[in-house]
Amino acid sequence: MSGPICFYIPSHITDHIARSAGRLGLDAEAAQRTAVASAALRQQRRALTTTSLSAVTAPLPGKGDRQIFDDENRFETGVRLVRREGDEPAPAANVNAAYDGLGATRDFFREVLGRDSIDNAGLTLQGDVNFGDKYGNAFWDGTRMVFGNGDGQIFQDFTRDVDVCAHELAHGVTQYTAGLIYTDQAGAMNEAFSDIFGACVDQYVQKLDAGEHNWLIGEEVMAEQMYGEAIRSMAHPGTAYDNPVLGKDPQAAHMSQYVPDGDPHINSGIVNRAFYLIANDLGSFPAAKVFYAALLGLWPQAQFRDCAYLCAEQARILARDGKVGRHAPQTVRAAFREVGIA
Ligand SMILES: [Zn+2]
């Protein structure tokens, strides 16, 4: 195992829920368990990850096959294999949603970006459903994508939104390419790349382009009474939610709001918005090609400026090859400048 553990719901939200759930008449125990389990996993991860060398060891070539496990509401992964590649649909909807979500993500990477699974060598895709007890989160643990059921009051099953699958799988891609560390600007980019590819897979599945998409992350995992809220907005970072349960979205939309040492999910808004601006000009998939090409050239401690420079450089190369519009380099530079990265 290698790389950081990457949670879908950041700690500032899980902590806020744990603090406010009892007062608001929600399932306080489930909220507390989620916060405690997430913190414990983070600690465990820190102890395990002094190096990420396993990510650079050549794996055995695979076919990008899917394996879905039912964790039977235990706080363990890989409990029972319930659906393999090519198997008939399982009785449980979330098993099939995870299977389909991982499949759509794999297909997007293959068809649009020319990448063969997480490691570009057909790595088997492992997904776990029913992790924990009313667990209100999803995460990539360095080898697999893990989904909780949510408590049904704040969050629903995390397999419900394909951008969760895509977001977590993209953390795997980042781990096997740039290997961006999970702090400061590199960490924020790590998160942004996951949101970017997550939003693109959402559009790939729904057959939408930039102008038609809502650019919301996680809106489908919100429970009925939270309808209309989302976890992040790529178009307008900092506006995704504002309510007594989740608190107020603290995401930064511009470098002037950058939080030094801030959670990667907060500062990621700056790069997310740059991508949104670029996608609205070039189209989402051409923009994804630019960012993917940049990701292949980034490195663990890279900064926002490195990303901006590489995106413009890759836009120039892709434009020369007729893969994106001729004005792509200028669009990329203008977008990064608009969010304060120049
Ligand atoms: Zn993430």
Side-chain angles (χ1 to χ4, degrees), residues 206-342:
Q206 297 186 58
K207 302 193 182 352
L208 300 174
D209 202 352
E212 306 142 334
H213 191 236
N214 58 33
W215 292 96
L216 296 174
I217 300 293
E219 77 279 18
E220 301 295 342
V221 302
M222 307 307 301
E224 191 62 39
Q225 67 190 60
M226 300 293 284
Y227 184 88
E229 301 290 60
I231 301 301
R232 286 182 286 282
S233 165
M234 294 180 69
H236 305 292
T239 64
Y241 58 86
D242 185 359
N243 61 66
V245 180
L246 303 179
K248 188 163 183 276
D249 182 3
Q251 235 199 345
H254 186 274
M255 273 313 274
S256 59
Q257 300 162 340
Y258 185 84
V259 181
D261 284 326
D263 184 298
H265 298 89
I266 292 178
N267 293 322
S268 60
I270 300 164
V271 179
N272 278 357
R273 179 158 162 81
F275 181 82
Y276 161 81
L277 294 169
I278 294 164
N280 271 283
D281 190 356
L282 303 183
S284 289
F285 295 173
K289 287 185 175 128
V290 168
F291 274 67
Y292 176 65
L295 182 67
L296 297 182
L298 286 169
W299 56 94
Q301 318 249 15
Q303 302 292 294
F304 285 176
R305 276 176 185 218
D306 302 316
C307 181
Y309 177 81
L310 273 182
C311 281
E313 181 60 10
Q314 292 300 334
R316 194 180 62 75
I317 293 166
L318 287 163
R320 185 193 63 198
D321 296 346
K323 304 258 175 60
V324 301
R326 177 131 196 203
H327 62 299
Q330 289 73 27
T331 295
V332 168
R333 288 185 197 118
F336 277 102
R337 197 169 296 172
E338 194 166 327
V339 298
I341 304 167

Side-chain angles (χ1 to χ4, degrees), residues 6-7 167-168 171 182 191 194 265:
C6 303
F7 290 95
H167 178 105
E168 298 307 332
H171 276 307
Y182 207 60
E191 270 307 314
S194 276
H265 298 89

Side-chain angles (χ1 to χ4, degrees), residues 42-313:
R42 260 185 213 105
Q43 281 306 115
Q44 200 181 327
R45 200 76 210 136
R46 223 164 266 145
L48 279 171
T49 57
T50 41
T51 65
S52 57
L53 285 177
S54 67
V56 295
T57 306
L60 295 172
K63 291 180 290 184
D65 285 351
R66 290 164 284 183
Q67 293 178 345
I68 309 299
F69 294 82
D70 182 349
D71 291 340
E72 298 177 339
N73 295 115
R74 293 196 245 163
F75 282 94
E76 289 169 42
T77 54
V79 173
R80 190 162 61 91
L81 180 60
V82 287
R83 191 171 176 193
R84 280 168 306 201
E85 190 69 38
D87 283 355
E88 291 295 312
N94 62 354
V95 170
N96 301 324
Y99 182 88
D100 293 344
L102 295 184
T105 307
R106 179 189 62 190
D107 295 348
F108 166 81
F109 271 97
R110 225 176 238 167
E111 284 174 28
V112 178
L113 303 178
R115 185 175 185 85
D116 180 12
S117 188
I118 288 175
D119 61 347
N120 203 21
L123 186 76
T124 300
L125 301 174
Q126 295 183 321
D128 287 57
V129 301
N130 302 327
F131 174 82
D133 185 7
K134 295 183 183 171
Y135 183 63
N137 216 337
F139 58 90
W140 159 257
D141 79 349
T143 58
R144 59 208 304 143
M145 287 133 286
V146 184
F147 306 92
N149 298 120
D151 65 349
Q153 294 179 305
I154 304 168
F155 299 120
Q156 310 187 64
D157 200 285
F158 280 78
T159 59
R160 283 180 53 94
D161 200 330
V162 71
D163 70 39
V164 182
C165 291
H167 178 105
E168 298 307 332
L169 198 151
H171 276 307
V173 173
T174 296
Q175 178 183 315
Y176 275 89
T177 53
L180 291 161
I181 58 168
Y182 207 60
T183 52
D184 269 319
Q185 292 196 12
M189 280 189 283
N190 193 324
E191 270 307 314
F193 276 105
S194 276
D195 277 350
I196 286 165
F197 296 130
C200 287
V201 172
D202 213 354
Q203 294 171 39
Y204 178 77
V205 170
Q206 297 186 58
K207 302 193 182 352
L208 300 174
D209 202 352
E212 306 142 334
H213 191 236
N214 58 33
W215 292 96
L216 296 174
I217 300 293
E219 77 279 18
E220 301 295 342
V221 302
M222 307 307 301
E224 191 62 39
Q225 67 190 60
M226 300 293 284
Y227 184 88
E229 301 290 60
I231 301 301
R232 286 182 286 282
S233 165
M234 294 180 69
H236 305 292
T239 64
Y241 58 86
D242 185 359
N243 61 66
V245 180
L246 303 179
K248 188 163 183 276
D249 182 3
Q251 235 199 345
H254 186 274
M255 273 313 274
S256 59
Q257 300 162 340
Y258 185 84
V259 181
D261 284 326
D263 184 298
H265 298 89
I266 292 178
N267 293 322
S268 60
I270 300 164
V271 179
N272 278 357
R273 179 158 162 81
F275 181 82
Y276 161 81
L277 294 169
I278 294 164
N280 271 283
D281 190 356
L282 303 183
S284 289
F285 295 173
K289 287 185 175 128
V290 168
F291 274 67
Y292 176 65
L295 182 67
L296 297 182
L298 286 169
W299 56 94
Q301 318 249 15
Q303 302 292 294
F304 285 176
R305 276 176 185 218
D306 302 316
C307 181
Y309 177 81
L310 273 182
C311 281
E313 181 60 10

